[in-house]
Every structure is written in C-alpha cells, then in structure tokens.
Amino acid sequence: MNWQTREIAPGLYLVATPLGNARDITLRALDILASADVLAAEDTRSLRRLMEIHGVALGDRPLVAYHDHNGDKARPKLMAALDAGHSVVYASEAGTPLISDPGFDLMRAALEAGVPCTTAPGPTAAVAALTLSGLPSDRFLFAGFLPNNSGKRKSALAELASVPATLIFYESPKRLGAMLRDAAETLGADRQAVVCRELTKKFEERCAGTLAALAERYDEPPKGEIVVVIDRGAARQADQATLDDALRDALGRLSVKDAASEVSKIYGIPRREAYQRAMALGKN
Ligand code: SAM
C-alpha cells in the first residue's frame, strides 16, 4: 500500500515504532510519517528502513538525527522548523520516544514554546512485558534501567522494596544475572518475577520463577533485549541475624543514617530501631 501525503496541522508529533515486528506500526503513525514536513529520528537508518518496509516515501523531506549525543545541537533546528509553522515528527529506534529514550528535552522545549504537540502511541517494551508477565497489572511502577554498580543498584532496589505495585525494569543481557542476584538479596529470594526476552521477535521468551531461581537460570548472559517484571512484595519478616546481615551489607556502602533507612524500608521496621542497631554494629 502507498501512503498518501495529506495536510497535517503544524506541531510536534511523537511516533511510537515497533519493538521488533515491523507490522506493529499503527496506521496513524504511517499517515504522520508520510505527511510531516520534517522527520527526526533517534536512528535515521532504522526509520528509513521502517518507512521502506511500509512503502512510505521520504521524498525530498529532511530526515535528521536527534539523540542523546547531539540533542543540544539538533534541538534548535527542530524548534526553528516548529516556529516556522512546520509539522515535525520524532521517532525512537524502537518503542515509544521518551521511555528510556531521547525526546524529553525536545518535548519540553516545544511545550514551553507553545507549539501544539501530540502523540501517535504504540509499542513500549515495559507495557508489552507487563501484560505478558501474568503478574498483577492494576498498579505498576516502571523504573527504567537500574545503576550498573552493584551497591547503587541494591540501594535503588531497596527504595522500591515495599512499593505496593508490580515493578518493571529494563536490563541489558550482560547485567541480567547480577541484577537478578541483587534483586533476590534485596527484595527476597522467593519473590515472583518474570524475565521477558526479545518481545515480538522470532525468539520471544517468557520465563517466570522466583528471583533466586531466575538468577540461577540467567547466570550465563542470554542474547537479546530484556525486561524484568517483579511482583509486589509484602514487607519481609526477618530475625535479628538477618537484619544484622542486611545492616552490615548496607553499612559497607552507605552512611549509618542511609543504611538504617534502607533496611527499615526493606523490612518494614521503624527507622529509629534500625538506626540504633546500625550504630551498635558500626561501633563493633
Ligand atoms: N523506548 C523503548 C520502549 O518504549 O520500550 C525503550 C528503549 S530502551 C533504550 C531499550 C530497552 O528496552 C532494552 O534494553 C530492553 O530492556 C527494552 N526492550 C526494547 N525492545 C525490547 C524487546 N523487543 N524485548 C524485550 N525488551 C525490549
């Protein structure tokens, strides 16, 4: 099918693109790609390829790169096009712009300049994984990528330990095993989780289990793109020895105050109690 150019109103259009299966593009996204005056993409080659697959001609319209490394330079040019009354479309390499992807600064600049903005929503790996996970979908917290450093990762996980929502993380295959081990230690080895790999692609995989079992399963890095979905947890029950171990681990990374705060969140104990015990352990 050939997509016809049609008049579209001036403004910024965010367009979601497929995660892996080119047919997951929406008809409206194709209309916008066919019609916008200026195209901007995180990865111009993949947008060009997607348009070719769907028979959308670029013609003599500009297709410009806009990503984390050139945003400050490219943004004024896109803003100038918007100020001149053009329609500008922005697409990520895969999925929804701004979701662990560039586009936030462009969107803010356009909104602040009073430019009309709209979105052609579509795939995002976080929601695809959540819906496939089988874990409760009534309330969820998308936490993006965790820090690379294990100490910082554990602290970030501890912040989320008692959030009453399903947790969603993006993760690289290389770090998956370490992330699952830290999650098992911080959130509880028995907490249920699901690893979703290569969503919408040929080797799509959904693997469910406890955090401990998944950490073992993915000790060897798998291939492909990964989302980890973790069930919400009840406050963990712990005896004094477990609390002391957790405090010692946290004291190795954090100040007494922050260690007490982290452990009090994970185990649902009063912060004062955790602080006093951390002080005692710190002295020994
Ligand atoms: N903006 C994208 C979105 O809306 O999902 C996310 C971009 S982020 C830079 C890339 C991460 O998304 C990957 O490292 C992975 O965690 C996740 N992801 C993207 N495509 C995926 C897929 N097909 N299967 C599983 N995870 C995917």
Side-chain angles (χ1 to χ4, degrees), residues 44 62 160 165 216 227 236:
T44 52
L160 302 171
E216 211 177 308
V227 184
R236 292 172 69 189

PDB file of all heavy atoms in Angstrom, residues 44 62 160 165 216 227 236:
ATOM      1  N   THR A  44      18.373   7.350  12.221  1.00  0.00           N
ATOM      2  CA  THR A  44      17.758   7.666  10.922  1.00  0.00           C
ATOM      3  C   THR A  44      17.694   6.427  10.030  1.00  0.00           C
ATOM      4  O   THR A  44      16.751   6.256   9.266  1.00  0.00           O
ATOM      5  CB  THR A  44      18.537   8.786  10.202  1.00  0.00           C
ATOM      6  OG1 THR A  44      19.908   8.435  10.163  1.00  0.00           O
ATOM      7  CG2 THR A  44      18.376  10.111  10.913  1.00  0.00           C
ATOM      8  N   PRO A  62      13.461  16.568   4.815  1.00  0.00           N
ATOM      9  CA  PRO A  62      14.648  16.304   5.642  1.00  0.00           C
ATOM     10  C   PRO A  62      14.385  15.212   6.680  1.00  0.00           C
ATOM     11  O   PRO A  62      13.300  15.157   7.281  1.00  0.00           O
ATOM     12  CB  PRO A  62      14.915  17.657   6.329  1.00  0.00           C
ATOM     13  CG  PRO A  62      13.708  18.473   6.149  1.00  0.00           C
ATOM     14  CD  PRO A  62      12.880  17.903   5.039  1.00  0.00           C
ATOM     15  N   LEU A 160      12.585   0.548  46.363  1.00  0.00           N
ATOM     16  CA  LEU A 160      11.339   0.060  45.745  1.00  0.00           C
ATOM     17  C   LEU A 160      10.770  -1.164  46.464  1.00  0.00           C
ATOM     18  O   LEU A 160       9.723  -1.682  46.079  1.00  0.00           O
ATOM     19  CB  LEU A 160      11.613  -0.317  44.280  1.00  0.00           C
ATOM     20  CG  LEU A 160      12.166   0.808  43.402  1.00  0.00           C
ATOM     21  CD1 LEU A 160      12.599   0.270  42.048  1.00  0.00           C
ATOM     22  CD2 LEU A 160      11.105   1.887  43.215  1.00  0.00           C
ATOM     23  N   ALA A 165       3.224  -2.176  44.181  1.00  0.00           N
ATOM     24  CA  ALA A 165       2.968  -2.184  42.734  1.00  0.00           C
ATOM     25  C   ALA A 165       3.902  -3.197  42.082  1.00  0.00           C
ATOM     26  O   ALA A 165       4.982  -3.480  42.614  1.00  0.00           O
ATOM     27  CB  ALA A 165       3.233  -0.800  42.151  1.00  0.00           C
ATOM     28  N   GLU A 216      19.676 -17.950  38.997  1.00  0.00           N
ATOM     29  CA  GLU A 216      20.450 -19.135  38.629  1.00  0.00           C
ATOM     30  C   GLU A 216      20.307 -19.426  37.131  1.00  0.00           C
ATOM     31  O   GLU A 216      21.282 -19.678  36.439  1.00  0.00           O
ATOM     32  CB  GLU A 216      19.916 -20.324  39.436  1.00  0.00           C
ATOM     33  CG  GLU A 216      20.975 -21.342  39.746  1.00  0.00           C
ATOM     34  CD  GLU A 216      20.405 -22.455  40.607  1.00  0.00           C
ATOM     35  OE1 GLU A 216      19.798 -22.149  41.643  1.00  0.00           O
ATOM     36  OE2 GLU A 216      20.556 -23.618  40.182  1.00  0.00           O
ATOM     37  N   VAL A 227      13.273  -7.375  29.497  1.00  0.00           N
ATOM     38  CA  VAL A 227      12.529  -6.632  30.524  1.00  0.00           C
ATOM     39  C   VAL A 227      12.331  -7.574  31.710  1.00  0.00           C
ATOM     40  O   VAL A 227      11.979  -8.742  31.521  1.00  0.00           O
ATOM     41  CB  VAL A 227      11.148  -6.157  30.017  1.00  0.00           C
ATOM     42  CG1 VAL A 227      10.455  -5.314  31.086  1.00  0.00           C
ATOM     43  CG2 VAL A 227      11.268  -5.363  28.722  1.00  0.00           C
ATOM     44  N   ARG A 236       9.101  -7.733  54.296  1.00  0.00           N
ATOM     45  CA  ARG A 236       9.767  -9.002  54.615  1.00  0.00           C
ATOM     46  C   ARG A 236       9.905  -9.166  56.127  1.00  0.00           C
ATOM     47  O   ARG A 236      10.199  -8.228  56.846  1.00  0.00           O
ATOM     48  CB  ARG A 236      11.148  -9.023  53.962  1.00  0.00           C
ATOM     49  CG  ARG A 236      11.051  -9.079  52.465  1.00  0.00           C
ATOM     50  CD  ARG A 236      12.392  -8.910  51.832  1.00  0.00           C
ATOM     51  NE  ARG A 236      13.258 -10.052  52.082  1.00  0.00           N
ATOM     52  CZ  ARG A 236      14.555 -10.062  51.771  1.00  0.00           C
ATOM     53  NH1 ARG A 236      15.113  -9.011  51.238  1.00  0.00           N
ATOM     54  NH2 ARG A 236      15.278 -11.123  52.002  1.00  0.00           N
TER      55      ARG A 236
END
